[in-house]
Amino acid sequence: MTAAGFALAAASATAYARTHPGTSHGLYWDAARDWSLENWPTIEQELGRIGIDHIVVPLNGHEHAIAGRAAVRWLPEHVATLIRKARSIRVDVMIWAAPTAEFVADARRVLPRLKRAGVSIVEFDAERDAWGVVPVGTTRAAAALALLDAARSAGLNAGVTMIPERIYPEWASADYCAVQSYSRANGGLANHSGDGPYAPGNMQRLGARRVQQAGMPLVQALAAYDQRWPGTPVVEPMRRAYEAAASSSRVVRWWSAKWVVGHRAQADVRAAIAMLTQRG
């Protein structure tokens, strides 16, 4: 799917459904340690086999956002090489964000380079232990607006990713919100099992409801890790999560690549994703 098609999907699932019958499927790409760019044709073939049409590459580490800086692991030049090699996979990027002047200044330097590298979409990760440590108010709101402005001034579409319990209102003007609807077998005991609020299916409906209440276009992000509920094959909770997610969004992606094609890959998780993307 092209960047324009993705933007249409994120902006209006109903309108997109009328013009494109399928769902866009992605992976957050944290498997760089497992695959060199020289092996990209092999990677891309495997991603295509399991129905993945885009990846989202984290450019910095969680620790950088907590420290208030946008230091990058993947330089824009490395991203440019990946984009040149990709034939059928769209490459987006993600940056863990912090509401500091230093972070905004770093981002203003990096984002134009990403645009020149061929990136179309940047996603800011507003994690509560980096973004949420600053009390809500003018400083945090100004930082969110400044980051969105920096991305758009560089010619990029700008999304945000947040957890359902922390949909920060200062990001309401982002192009989309990828809600982290991560139902997990060990993610909170009773809350994530049975008919608990974070159980597969329920968690994704909660995420959709919270983002829609905030008035933001919705992308659904699911967990590819910790999917082993007792007495249940992996495919069943992943199916329930996916069906709830795909009913509310035409863009569904999983965290993360290392659990699917990387050093912690699990064959039954990969098989489940391949089956679900064919249904989508």
Side-chain angles (χ1 to χ4, degrees):
M1 181 183 288
T2 65
F6 178 88
L8 178 61
S12 172
T14 302
Y16 181 74
R18 289 197 296 265
T19 59
H20 192 293
T23 298
S24 177
H25 300 104
L27 283 178
Y28 287 96
W29 190 256
D30 63 347
R33 62 174 283 186
D34 304 302
W35 296 94
S36 69
L37 289 180
E38 288 73 21
N39 291 329
W40 179 256
T42 301
I43 306 168
E44 190 161 13
Q45 183 178 35
E46 176 60 15
L47 294 177
R49 190 188 70 78
I50 62 174
I52 299 300
D53 58 49
H54 70 279
I55 62 173
V56 183
V57 180
L59 294 188
N60 63 343
H62 207 197
E63 68 278 9
H64 297 133
I66 293 172
R69 301 301 300 272
V72 294
R73 279 192 191 123
W74 277 64
L75 295 175
E77 292 74 19
H78 296 160
V79 177
T81 301
L82 178 54
I83 289 172
R84 284 195 302 271
K85 287 178 173 289
R87 300 298 181 205
S88 59
I89 301 290
R90 194 187 70 249
V91 179
D92 300 338
V93 300
M94 187 194 85
I95 301 175
W96 271 284
T100 67
E102 293 83 1
F103 188 95
V104 172
D106 281 354
R108 287 195 182 278
R109 287 189 289 269
V110 169
L111 293 171
R113 292 170 61 196
L114 292 172
K115 176 64 177 178
R116 291 193 294 271
V119 172
S120 298
I121 298 171
V122 60
E123 183 173 293
F124 294 106
D125 190 322
E127 294 277 349
R128 56 185 171 183
D129 52 356
W131 189 263
V133 294
V134 175
V136 65
T138 55
T139 300
R140 208 170 75 187
L145 292 175
L147 289 170
L148 293 172
D149 175 72
R152 290 164 178 157
S153 295
L156 299 165
N157 292 316
V160 64
T161 180
M162 298 181 279
I163 64 174
E165 300 92 329
R166 297 289 188 276
I167 303 297
Y168 297 115
E170 58 265 28
W171 290 98
S173 61
D175 293 324
Y176 67 87
C177 175
V179 64
Q180 298 173 23
S181 301
Y182 298 164
S183 45
R184 300 178 288 119
N186 296 313
L189 301 176
N191 283 345
H192 282 255
S193 62
D195 199 37
Y198 300 157
N202 291 345
M203 181 62 140
Q204 293 70 41
R205 285 184 284 270
L206 171 65
R209 189 163 61 250
R210 294 285 173 81
V211 173
Q212 290 160 355
Q213 287 169 349
M216 304 176 72
L218 172 67
V219 168
Q220 283 275 10
L222 306 178
Y225 64 98
D226 198 7
Q227 295 298 298
R228 300 188 184 283
W229 275 264
T232 304
V234 160
V235 67
E236 181 56 23
M238 293 188 71
R239 178 192 63 78
R240 292 200 303 271
Y242 177 84
E243 289 179 350
S247 71
S248 61
S249 175
R250 287 292 180 180
V251 183
V252 177
R253 57 174 68 127
W254 285 269
W255 182 277
S256 59
K258 71 184 176 193
W259 302 96
V260 183
V261 294
H263 66 283
R264 304 192 71 174
Q266 301 169 39
D268 49 359
V269 168
R270 185 166 57 249
I273 289 175
M275 183 271 288
L276 293 167
T277 58
Q278 295 307 309
R279 297 177 63 177

